[in-house]
Amino acid sequence: MSLASPQTQQVEVGQTLPPLTVRFTRATLVRYAGASGDFNPIHFSDHFATELGLPGVIAHGMLTMGSALRVVTDWIGDPARIRSYSVRFSSPVAVPDKADGVEVSYSATVTAVESNVVSIAIEAICDGKKVLGAARAEVDLGA
């Protein structure tokens, strides 16, 4: 899929980026655990997760956070243009033990444009709940 480069279009405050929906399944969590080395049982065992007061197995926070940034990297086309990125976790992403797992919908809006630097607010929603708070990225559009 070819994306229009932000460098070739006028970027304005209030502009929305193309949304992204990501599906997390228990298999996704197993793969992420292997790649990241994070084998905390709250990411694969309902028993351990509920013992800690969680609603069940939850997605890794860094997986949720990394997936959110894809809204920006898909738009900008070059991940090296990300200058900064930060989030607060506001609600865990519960991943049920069923084949289709759960979906997280990501959206983003340009909040500031200063010279070649664009500030972007990112929203992540799962089952009607905001799962990331204060998610912000800064992108350098270059010359």
Side-chain angles (χ1 to χ4, degrees), residues 50-117:
T50 57
E51 285 278 313
L52 293 175
L54 296 167
V57 166
I58 62 168
H60 301 74
M62 293 298 126
L63 176 59
T64 306
M65 181 180 175
S67 296
L69 190 58
R70 285 182 47 203
V71 170
V72 179
T73 59
D74 286 355
W75 174 71
I76 193 69
D78 180 2
R81 292 192 176 274
I82 303 295
R83 288 180 50 165
S84 66
Y85 179 48
S86 62
V87 306
R88 277 190 238 144
F89 300 101
S90 54
S91 183
V93 175
V95 181
D97 190 12
K98 58 183 189 171
D100 60 349
V102 68
E103 287 185 342
V104 179
S105 298
Y106 299 102
S107 60
T109 304
V110 173
T111 58
V113 179
E114 274 191 49
S115 186
N116 291 327
V117 178

Side-chain angles (χ1 to χ4, degrees), residues 3 7 28 35 44 56 76 79 102 106 114 123 125 131 133 138:
L3 298 174
Q7 294 89 329
T28 307
F44 63 82
I76 193 69
V102 68
Y106 299 102
E114 274 191 49
E123 187 169 83
I125 304 292
V131 296
E138 281 189 345

Side-chain angles (χ1 to χ4, degrees), residues 2-64:
S2 175
L3 298 174
S5 170
Q7 294 89 329
T8 63
Q9 63 184 4
Q10 181 66 26
V11 179
E12 299 176 347
V13 172
Q15 177 179 338
T16 58
L17 280 57
L20 173 70
T21 299
V22 177
R23 182 173 301 281
F24 295 114
T25 65
R26 296 281 177 101
T28 307
L29 302 186
V30 169
R31 288 184 190 99
Y32 186 81
S36 69
D38 182 351
F39 295 101
N40 187 322
I42 64 173
H43 302 304
F44 63 82
S45 169
D46 284 309
H47 168 76
F48 285 105
T50 57
E51 285 278 313
L52 293 175
L54 296 167
V57 166
I58 62 168
H60 301 74
M62 293 298 126
L63 176 59
T64 306

